Amino acid sequence: MSENTKAFIDNLEAGNNADAGEAFKSALRDKMGDALDIKRKELASNLFNKEAESFSDPKPEIATPGTFAQDGSVATPGQPELDGKAELEIAGNDETQTQ
């Protein structure tokens, strides 16, 4: 039993409620400080004993690099030439419409 706990009990027995309150606060403060020290030591010992974790997704692989044209577009080998027109399929109609 700590000194503050003994002081708390002795002050309660003697009827010194104000001193008992202060002794209780001190005992509680000591107990919390000890618990925090134990947790702090546990955290510090486990902090660097883990393997490194990946913090980002893996980078995508580029299968076929393209070449830049003078207009800034990228042409990749085997890719069809784009004319800039959108092709849409409308549900219920098998024809492809160009807009």
Side-chain angles (χ1 to χ4, degrees), residues 25-82:
K25 289 178 190 176
S26 296
L28 190 60
R29 204 174 304 124
D30 290 345
K31 186 170 179 115
M32 288 302 296
D34 292 343
L36 286 173
D37 284 341
I38 291 169
K39 193 67 173 172
R40 195 176 299 128
K41 288 176 186 176
E42 179 183 320
L43 180 65
S45 68
N46 292 334
L47 187 62
F48 296 108
N49 292 337
K50 295 181 183 177
E51 287 189 33
E53 295 178 11
S54 176
F55 290 104
S56 64
D57 295 333
K59 293 183 174 56
E61 293 183 24
I62 299 175
T64 55
T67 56
F68 284 102
Q70 285 186 342
D71 64 353
S73 62
V74 178
T76 56
Q79 183 181 27
E81 188 66 34
L82 300 177

